[in-house]
Amino acid sequence: QAALVADVNDIAQEHHVREKLCEIISTAELVYAAGQSSALRAVEFPNGSWVPDEILTNAGRKLAGQKIYHEYETLADLTGGICASLPTEESFYEPETAELCNKYIMRNPAYTAEETHRVMRMMEDKLCDSFEAAQAVAGVHGGGSPLMETITMMSRYDLEPLKDLAKYLAGFEGAEFPRIERPTVTPRAMLDKFKKTQVDKK
């Protein structure tokens, strides 16, 4: 949508526009990569289901949630205010207004007035619709708030090997260069950790 509306507005080759599009692409690809990697590191449970790596799934989800409002801002920037002031659908077809609406909707001559109208109507739905507003919030909080992603990651991630590596780099006496290979982390690891606390209490 961002790429299309930029093209329709005839600004797609502007440097700052390309930067904005690249930022959206980067976020999408990193989130996708996190999902793929978490699946590749999945662990098969006794019931036959495969559970992905929790660190990677939450890292991807956190990045997506952090960027989503900025992506809406970028869409609004690339579209312009017309998405909030677009004439009614009927205005483009009524004999009294159609000619003017179709004349002034034009931006890039590579797109017809009808095509430009369709794109701007799509952006109106994307940026000014009440359902889409709910979707924007769901994009951040759906499936758990960003705080839960932080809690999950920080409770599962073992920082000690990384601190050992930093000690070696800082030149601590006796510090060795550790080989770091993070194991896959699943909810079962948290369950085992919880069970251990119960045993320790006894």
Side-chain angles (χ1 to χ4, degrees):
Q1 288 177 320
L4 180 59
V5 77
D7 204 23
V8 165
N9 274 332
D10 209 9
I11 57 173
Q13 295 307 313
E14 297 294 331
H15 177 71
H16 70 283
V17 172
R18 290 173 64 81
E19 283 291 331
K20 292 176 191 297
L21 295 177
C22 185
E23 191 170 353
I24 291 176
I25 292 167
S26 298
T27 300
E29 290 299 321
L30 286 170
V31 171
Y32 180 71
Q36 268 197 328
S37 299
S38 68
L40 287 171
R41 293 175 61 109
V43 173
E44 186 176 12
F45 273 25
N47 67 357
S49 63
W50 287 81
V51 179
D53 181 80
E54 280 196 300
I55 299 297
L56 287 163
T57 53
N58 280 277
R61 180 70 187 82
K62 188 173 178 65
L63 178 63
Q66 287 173 333
K67 293 289 188 177
I68 193 168
Y69 288 135
H70 181 57
E71 289 169 350
Y72 277 97
E73 179 186 13
T74 298
L75 285 176
D77 186 36
L78 296 176
T79 304
I82 190 171
C83 64
S85 58
L86 196 62
T88 63
E89 186 91 13
E90 293 77 17
S91 299
F92 284 86
Y93 304 102
E94 292 288 343
E96 301 83 19
T97 55
E99 185 179 351
L100 288 174
C101 283
N102 286 290
K103 176 182 178 180
Y104 290 110
I105 194 75
M106 289 293 294
R107 270 102 174 114
N108 185 341
Y111 293 89
T112 66
E114 173 66 15
E115 289 169 339
T116 303
H117 174 209
R118 291 293 104 221
V119 170
M120 294 308 172
R121 192 66 66 190
M122 173 181 70
M123 300 315 296
E124 178 188 54
D125 290 342
K126 186 69 177 176
L127 294 165
C128 304
D129 183 71
S130 58
F131 174 77
E132 192 61 38
Q135 291 297 98
V137 176
V140 179
H141 292 281
S145 70
L147 178 58
M148 289 312 300
E149 289 147 16
T150 299
I151 290 171
T152 299
M153 290 176 69
M154 294 310 295
S155 65
R156 311 292 201 271
Y157 205 95
D158 185 6
L159 291 171
E160 293 308 313
L162 297 179
K163 292 193 316 195
D164 290 340
L165 176 57
K167 289 173 185 176
Y168 172 82
L169 295 172
F172 277 34
E173 189 174 338
E176 296 181 359
F177 186 80
R179 182 178 184 277
I180 298 175
E181 187 174 335
R182 183 180 65 77
T184 295
V185 178
T186 69
R188 179 155 298 229
M190 198 60 182
L191 179 61
D192 292 341
K193 187 176 178 182
F194 172 75
K195 285 178 179 176
K196 185 177 183 307
T197 63
Q198 302 309 299
V199 171
D200 291 344
K201 283 180 182 176
K202 292 177 182 177

